[in-house]
Amino acid sequence: MDPIRIAVVGVGKIARDQHLPAIAGNKAFSLAATVSPHDAGVEGVSHHKSLDELIENGPAVDAVALCTPPQVRYDLAVQALNKGMHVFLEKPPGATLSECVALSSRAEKVGTTLFAAWHSRFAAGVAPARAWLAERRIESVKIVWREDVRVWHPGQAWIWEPGGLGVFDPGINALSILTHILPRPVFLKTATLEIPANRAAPIAADIQFRDTAGAPIHMDLDWRQTGPQSWDIVVETDAGTLKLSNGGAVLTLPTGAEHSEDLEYPGLYARFANLIRGGRSDVDIAPLRLVADAFLRGNRQTVDAFHD
């Protein structure tokens, strides 16, 4: 079977650190091209300044991985879908819920694969955590997702703009795990968003969710963490405590801890290849829906200006 010829659109840190190595390590794909107006691309691989240029003058491409900021992703995705390309959407899959719904409808109409890729769901501890929780009564959940924005997003102005999500850019990773491992749906009760005086998106958030059985879920997000970073989910159940730490890589059950190799992006591309081969799409917007609810219902508090 011939490999899927894929182009990476948006060659920034996430593309170089995760997407390109994952594509290189998966025989189902071959890197046909890169697209970026700012980056020189990969040596020996066809490079283009825009998707228009790739379509007009570049090599044949079966699929694209969109690694651009979410605010510009919709038009690129529609353009690719209309050309019969399969589309991999980095998280979050769009700047709005309506964009995601429209893209899903377009992919179904043209008969191509659309994949909303939640990489944290492929962290080593997530699948076994989901299986263990399926047979337990959930009593409460606590999420602490605290990191230093200067380390993880230096100089990235887009992330502070409308649609950039602010602290929910990493926080949505926790929500992608939460909505995947809990056996019941989750919805928002209250939220407080702390927004710097010179920015449009929050730098911190304190959120109360609950599931449909009434279990309380507390989420603590903060981009001002220095020193050790915190990416932890603790679930109290009738059979003891489950903890996912290090972004889901480490699972601790009452019987002990398990730590496996990080295979998030290789797992994503294996999933994408399977979807393409099976003629299916996977566009789960539950994590983004919870973020939208926080912006819809959250109480906004202005805090000190933030400067890189």
Side-chain angles (χ1 to χ4, degrees), residues 9-166:
V9 181
V11 187
K13 179 175 172 55
I14 192 68
R16 289 195 172 275
D17 290 352
Q18 301 292 349
H19 289 263
L20 295 178
I23 292 168
N26 190 322
K27 293 181 180 179
F29 292 96
S30 65
L31 181 63
T34 56
V35 176
S36 174
H38 309 297
D39 191 277
V42 178
E43 185 176 357
V45 176
S46 180
H47 181 71
H48 304 270
K49 294 295 185 181
S50 67
L51 185 56
D52 282 328
E53 183 184 310
L54 169 63
I55 291 170
E56 291 175 9
N57 304 314
V61 169
D62 304 306
V64 294
L66 298 184
C67 306
T68 64
Q71 296 98 321
V72 301
R73 204 172 292 155
Y74 173 80
D75 288 337
L76 294 169
V78 169
Q79 187 177 10
L81 291 171
N82 286 343
K83 292 295 182 179
M85 300 176 189
H86 308 292
V87 175
F88 178 120
L89 299 169
E90 243 297 354
K91 63 88 187 172
T96 69
L97 292 169
S98 298
E99 286 182 2
C100 297
V101 172
L103 288 177
S104 185
S105 297
R106 170 56 55 179
E108 183 176 1
K109 183 174 182 179
V110 300
T112 59
T113 292
L114 182 66
F115 180 34
W118 301 107
H119 66 82
S120 291
R121 288 182 173 176
F122 289 80
V126 173
R130 181 181 185 181
W132 192 82
L133 290 173
E135 301 177 356
R136 312 289 183 247
R137 185 181 73 247
I138 310 300
E139 296 179 350
S140 66
V141 182
K142 183 178 181 180
I143 302 170
V144 178
W145 224 255
R146 288 174 160 252
E147 63 182 44
D148 187 346
V149 66
R150 291 185 173 92
V151 171
W152 298 99
H153 297 282
Q156 294 183 8
W158 66 266
I159 212 163
W160 295 102
E161 296 170 357
L165 299 189

Side-chain angles (χ1 to χ4, degrees), residues 11 16 32 56 58 76 127 130 141 149 152 160 164 171-172 184 209 211 215-216 226 241 246-247 249-250 262 271 282:
V11 187
R16 289 195 172 275
E56 291 175 9
L76 294 169
R130 181 181 185 181
V141 182
V149 66
W152 298 99
W160 295 102
I172 204 169
R184 296 183 179 86
F209 300 101
D211 72 5
T226 57
T241 302
N246 197 24
V250 181
D262 176 15
R271 172 68 171 161
D282 179 358

Side-chain angles (χ1 to χ4, degrees), residues 26 35 37 40 88 122 125 154 161 183 189 198 222 238 296 300-301:
N26 190 322
V35 176
F88 178 120
F122 289 80
E161 296 170 357
K189 295 294 293 180
N198 62 333
D222 205 313
D238 59 334
L296 180 67
R300 290 164 171 77
Q301 294 183 353

